Every structure is written in C-alpha cells, then in structure tokens.
Amino acid sequence: MRLSINKILFIPLNTFLFQMKSISIIASLLLTSMASAQQVRDPQLLAPNQTVLGFGPAVAVDGDISCAVWTETSPNYFVWASVSDARGLNWSDPIRLDDDLTLEGKITDRTSVAVDGQNIYVAWRDDRFDGTDDKIFFTRSTDGGSTWETNRHIDDGYPTDANPIRNLAMAVDSPYVYLAARVDTSNGDKIYVVSSSDDGATFGPAVYVSDFDINTFADAVNVGVYAQGSTCHVAWADDRVQAGEDVWYQRSDDAGATWLPADIQVDTNGGIGDAQTQAMFVQADGDLVTVCWQEDDRINTSEFIYTNISADGGNTWLTSDIQVGNYDTSITDVDFNSVAVKN
C-alpha cells in the first residue's frame, strides 16, 4: 500500500491530568490552533459552587460554540453542561441536563458531547431504570445551548433492567448521529451502533456491527466511532482469537443500516499482546483512516501505543501496525492514547 499523508498526530502521554477538585470543576481547554499552542490560557473554573467531585469530562467545539459536559458524583449524579463561544473566554452557568428524579448513577466520558452548528448533542450512561444497569440516555439543544430537550432513552435492543452498557461513544456529522455501545450479554460484551439521520430527532434500532457469531462467546472492550456523513467507522478490541484482545474495524456506508461482510483485524501482533485499551480511537479524513490503541504484553508487561493506517477508506491496512513514540520500552509505560488525522 502506498500512502500519501499530510498529517497524522499521535499523542501518547505518560501522565494525563484533567484537574478535578472537591470544591470545583476546573476545565483546561485548548481552543486555539496548533500554530498558536504557546498561547494556551489558564484553566477556566466552570462550576465554582459545586461542592462535590466532578468526573467524566468532555469538551466539543464547532464554529462559534463550545460545550463542556461532566457528571457530578454522589449523592446526586447529575449531568451538567456549560456553553461558551469558541474562544472559551466566558462560560454559562452550569446547566443540569438530566431530568432523572431517582438520583441513580450516571457516567459521561470523552465523547459524551458533540457540537455541529447550533446543535449540541449529549449522550451518557444512566442506570435510572433499576439502579444497576446502565442504559443510553440522550438530549440535544438546537439553539446553541439556550434550551434542551427532554431526556430520551435510546434503545440498545435489550431490556431496560438487564444487559448494561459498559462503554458508550458518540460521533456526529450533521445530520448523522452515531452511538456505539458495548453491551454486556450472556456471550460476552458485544458492539452495537444506533444511528440517526435527522440530527438526533429520531434513532433507528440498535444494529450488531460484527460478523462474529453473536451466540459465541467473545468479550469486547472499549469501542471508538467516527462519522463521515453516512459513513460510520467503528473500532474495538475483543478476545475471539486469543486470551488477550485484538483490534477490529468495521464500516457502514449507509448510515449504520448494513456493515462490511467481515470484520477487519488491524493489529498485527501475531497472536500476542492484549489491547485492553483505556481508549479506542478511530479517525478519518477523506480516504485516510487510522485506528489508535493502547496494548500491553506484546514486548513486555508495560503498555505502549500502536496505530494502523488505511489509505482507501478502511478496506485495506498496513501489513504491520506501528508503535507510536521513540521511548525506551524497557523502562517506559505509556497511557492515554489519542490521534487526529488530516489528509
């Protein structure tokens, strides 16, 4: 395969800190271009009056709108948002997004918010039905965060009192919204995608994306999703081949209705290694697609960052994946991978 690539940015970090204090939530936002990265401003205090811990931060920016989302810890487990212009200089007072009266647990994470034009989309895991099983909940604003719709439960194809969602990722390219979920089943965790083609006004049924027999045991771990209009890219890891997890890729070109006839394995570890990644990233620009993951037990017990690249929209991949970074693998342990692509 011959690659013509302008920019792929990988960010392996030994330590990553999103500062959360017991009496406040502090968001450090990079809202300037790469060229002016030296002008990063001081952290912005978004919730000075909150007296409990916040977790699961997510930030999204498009045009003149920025939105930060997080979850408040016990005893309330509220989901909060704050909205700013794209410069991030002034932020709204925190807005509670969930309308749950049970005060049951909720979880937001890095992809819980997306912004596209005046539309802001927020999705999270929520166990309000029975206090145990996380399910997908969703809300959106169509006026830049001034008003928000009533929370909606997004059907994952399983009962509301069983089969919890273990991992949730969202991707948006208006009018398409994709929610990728790792669902706990009796045959291991499985990957499903729920799609909308009308900016989240309605969602179709949950679709199992893999070609692996749904009734055969295989346990998936973190899922990543990326939207390119009606094309949806999904990557995850599972243990169908060996005791450790391998990395797999799937794609839909019809807004999540149908998927490639066969999953594509993108790691080339030769049956060793364990991609129990803390975050699975799949990104695309044009025909350039990359998957980035964290893996251990390949070289030694330490964790390192790997990627593989496709130059034809995800149909074929490099025959050897790439270890990211020039660190000394005998003494270094690398966590918290990330990737961005520009073709």
Side-chain angles (χ1 to χ4, degrees):
M1 181 191 302
R2 182 178 179 182
L3 296 179
S4 177
I5 302 170
N6 287 341
K7 296 178 183 177
I8 298 181
L9 174 62
F10 301 99
I11 310 174
L13 300 178
N14 292 61
T15 303
F16 175 80
L17 176 64
F18 192 108
Q19 189 174 5
M20 294 289 191
K21 293 188 176 181
S22 60
I23 60 172
S24 64
I25 296 177
I26 296 178
S28 181
L29 304 177
L30 177 58
L31 298 176
T32 55
S33 69
M34 293 290 292
S36 58
Q38 70 274 15
Q39 300 175 13
V40 177
R41 296 189 296 270
D42 291 336
Q44 298 283 324
L45 185 62
L46 300 188
N49 297 321
Q50 287 191 5
T51 59
V52 298
L53 288 172
F55 68 97
V59 179
V61 180
D62 185 56
D64 293 330
I65 297 176
S66 307
C67 184
V69 169
W70 65 94
T71 307
E72 179 181 325
T73 57
S74 179
N76 294 323
Y77 293 105
F78 296 155
V79 177
W80 295 93
S82 183
V83 180
S84 174
D85 63 21
R87 298 172 299 166
L89 293 175
N90 300 295
W91 292 81
S92 70
D93 290 337
I95 306 159
R96 183 183 168 191
L97 298 186
D98 72 281
D99 52 21
D100 176 29
L101 300 179
T102 70
L103 305 185
E104 294 293 350
K106 296 164 192 66
I107 300 175
T108 52
D109 60 24
R110 59 183 176 81
T111 66
S112 283
V113 61
V115 179
D116 199 321
Q118 288 291 304
N119 293 334
I120 307 176
Y121 315 83
V122 180
W124 66 92
R125 289 183 281 160
D126 192 316
D127 63 12
R128 70 179 70 179
F129 286 124
D130 64 1
T132 302
D133 297 296
D134 288 346
K135 293 296 174 178
I136 305 170
F137 274 77
F138 176 87
T139 186
R140 66 173 184 164
S141 171
T142 59
D143 55 13
S146 296
T147 61
W148 294 83
E149 295 179 352
T150 301
N151 295 179
R152 276 181 282 154
H153 165 237
I154 306 301
D155 186 15
D156 57 30
Y158 289 89
T160 58
D161 60 351
N163 305 100
I165 304 297
R166 299 299 188 192
N167 178 209
L168 178 64
M170 177 171 63
V172 175
D173 187 6
S174 181
Y176 299 97
V177 181
Y178 302 103
L179 300 171
R182 176 167 62 98
V183 184
D184 189 341
T185 78
S186 59
N187 290 307
D189 292 358
K190 306 297 185 185
I191 305 300
Y192 288 80
V193 168
V194 185
S195 305
S196 170
S197 58
D198 55 11
D199 283 316
T202 61
F203 284 88
V207 178
Y208 178 59
V209 306
S210 176
D211 74 323
F212 189 74
D213 182 7
I214 196 171
N215 296 312
T216 301
F217 187 88
D219 211 14
V221 294
N222 271 334
V223 62
V225 62
Y226 190 79
Q228 281 185 305
S230 60
T231 295
C232 178
H233 306 270
V234 178
W236 72 95
D238 68 38
D239 59 2
R240 72 181 75 176
V241 174
Q242 54 151 338
E245 274 77 14
D246 295 304
V247 181
W248 302 88
Y249 167 83
Q250 260 288 0
R251 188 187 74 239
S252 171
D253 293 316
D254 54 9
T258 62
W259 297 81
L260 297 176
D263 302 341
I264 300 174
Q265 186 174 350
V266 299
D267 65 323
T268 59
N269 57 22
I272 60 174
D274 188 4
Q276 287 256 12
T277 183
Q278 296 191 34
M280 180 68 70
F281 284 88
V282 56
Q283 294 275 316
D285 186 28
D287 287 333
L288 180 64
V289 185
T290 185
V291 175
C292 183
W293 67 95
Q294 174 186 310
E295 185 172 337
D296 60 13
D297 294 337
R298 184 189 289 202
I299 299 174
N300 52 43
T301 58
S302 294
E303 296 160 333
F304 307 115
I305 306 302
Y306 294 89
T307 188
N308 203 337
I309 300 165
S310 170
D312 58 6
N315 292 316
T316 60
W317 296 76
L318 297 177
T319 55
S320 295
D321 55 28
I322 302 165
Q323 180 185 315
V324 180
N326 296 318
Y327 40 81
D328 184 343
T329 57
S330 66
I331 61 173
T332 304
D333 187 89
V334 183
D335 295 317
F336 298 105
N337 52 301
S338 184
V339 64
V341 178
K342 181 65 177 177
N343 194 3

